Amino acid sequence: ALMSASDGPHKLEVKYDEPPDEPELLRACGGLLPARVAILFPAAFAALRQRFCEGGDASFVASLRHARPWDSGHGGRSGSTFLKTCDGRFLIKLVPRHEYHAFFEHAPAYFAFVRTTPTTLPSLLVKVLGAFHVEFRSADKKSTHSQWLLVQENLFFGHDVVRMCDLKGAQRHRAGDDPDDTVVDEHLFQLNGGYPLLLSEAAKAQLTRALWNDTLFLSSINVMDYSLLVGMVQRAGASNGNAAVASADAAAEAAADAAADVDADASV
C-alpha cells in the first residue's frame, strides 16, 4: 500500500563533508560543490515511485543522473526553469522557495489523493515524484547557493508529440506562430480544422470523472488556476494526421501553490 505523508520522517538530510569523487557531477555543478541535500517525505515518495515508476527507485535515480535544459514551449506564466532527463521519463522543475514550502504544506493531502488513483478515483493529475532542496557551496566555502526542485513524470513520454495545447478556457492570444509553442484553446480548434476533439461516450464519461476528481482535490487545497495539457500526436492513418493525448497539466505547481497565493494568478 502507498504510504501516507505521516509515515516515516518528513525530511531526510544528506551532508557532504568532502566533495564527492565524481568529476562528471562536479562539472555539472558549474564549479560549485554540493554541500547538502534535503529530501522531502522520503518514505512516502519511495512508495509512490514503487507504484508508478517502472523500475522503482533504482530506475528513478538512474534517470536523474543525466538531464538537460528543456523548453516547455511558453506554456505557462511562471517562467520556471525545466530540465528533462536524457531518457525522457521525468521533468525537473526549479521552483521558488515559497512554492517548495507550499508543497511541503500540502503534501499530506497530495499523498492521500494520489494513493486512491487511478484504481478508485480516475485522475489526470500529473504526479510529483520527488521534492529536493540542494545546497551548493563555493570552493572557498565563502558563499552558498540553493536550488529547490520538484520532479514530475513526463506526461508525453513515449509519444511523438508534435504540438501542445494548454486548455484553461482562455481566449487570449498566447504565442502560436512557432510550431514548438504551447498554445491555448482557440488554437486547438484551428489546428483541428475548426472541430472539437471527438470522444466516445465511454471516454468522455471517464474524462469528465477524472477532471471532476482533480478539480475537487485542487480546490480543497485552495489551488484555483490549473489547466489541461493536450498533446497532438502524429499517427499514420489518421484522417488529418493528428490524434490527441490529453493529460492534466497540474504540473508540480498544482499541488504546490499555497492558499496565500490563490488571489494572484498562479501559473499551473
Side-chain angles (χ1 to χ4, degrees):
L2 186 63
M3 301 178 73
S4 70
S6 59
D7 295 327
H10 289 181
K11 184 168 67 173
L12 174 66
E13 289 196 0
V14 178
K15 295 184 178 180
Y16 294 92
D17 294 325
E18 296 294 333
D21 187 21
E22 298 185 52
E24 184 180 0
L25 172 62
L26 297 178
R27 285 196 301 271
C29 293
L32 296 173
L33 304 176
R36 180 173 65 93
V37 178
I39 306 169
L40 290 192
F41 301 100
F45 269 125
L48 188 152
R49 291 191 293 266
Q50 195 64 36
R51 177 175 174 183
F52 292 109
C53 296
E54 184 178 352
D57 260 1
S59 177
F60 178 77
V61 172
S63 292
L64 293 186
R65 289 186 66 86
H66 301 282
R68 60 172 60 97
W70 179 67
D71 181 3
S72 60
H74 309 101
R77 295 176 55 198
S78 66
S80 297
T81 298
F82 285 89
L83 302 174
K84 182 191 288 187
T85 58
C86 290
D87 61 9
R89 295 180 62 196
F90 305 106
L91 300 180
I92 305 167
K93 183 180 180 185
L94 280 66
V95 299
R97 180 179 180 179
H98 72 84
E99 188 174 321
Y100 177 85
H101 288 292
F103 181 86
F104 179 88
E105 178 185 342
H106 294 304
Y110 169 72
F111 287 113
F113 176 75
V114 170
R115 72 166 130 183
T116 65
T117 66
T119 52
T120 303
L121 296 177
S123 172
L124 295 174
L125 192 71
V126 65
K127 294 173 185 64
V128 178
L129 300 171
F132 308 92
H133 171 208
V134 184
E135 186 178 285
F136 303 91
R137 60 177 173 81
S138 60
D140 60 10
K141 300 183 180 181
K142 292 183 178 180
S143 61
T144 60
H145 172 71
S146 287
Q147 290 183 341
W148 295 271
L149 311 172
L150 298 180
V151 181
Q152 66 185 72
E153 61 183 331
N154 178 12
L155 298 172
F156 298 137
F157 173 65
H159 297 285
D160 184 18
V161 175
V162 296
R163 199 68 186 263
M164 292 188 294
C165 299
D166 188 27
L167 308 183
K168 56 197 310 176
Q171 296 300 318
R172 66 183 185 275
H173 177 75
R174 179 194 293 165
D177 297 327
D178 188 329
D180 292 328
D181 280 344
T182 299
V183 296
V184 293
D185 307 50
E186 59 182 305
H187 298 104
L188 176 58
F189 284 96
Q190 295 171 9
L191 293 170
N192 205 39
Y195 293 96
L197 298 178
L198 300 179
L199 299 175
S200 67
E201 285 297 327
K204 179 182 177 182
Q206 186 79 350
L207 176 62
T208 301
R209 286 186 62 199
L211 293 177
W212 173 266
N213 294 333
D214 292 341
T215 53
L216 187 64
F217 163 67
L218 295 172
S219 66
S220 74
I221 59 173
N222 292 322
V223 173
M224 61 176 290
D225 189 1
Y226 36 82
S227 58
L228 186 74
L229 188 65
V230 174
M232 306 299 290
V233 179
Q234 193 76 28
R235 287 181 179 165
S239 59
N240 61 356
N242 288 318
V245 174
S247 303
D249 178 33
E253 292 167 303
D257 283 323
D261 294 331
V262 298
D263 58 338
D265 184 22
S267 260
V268 177

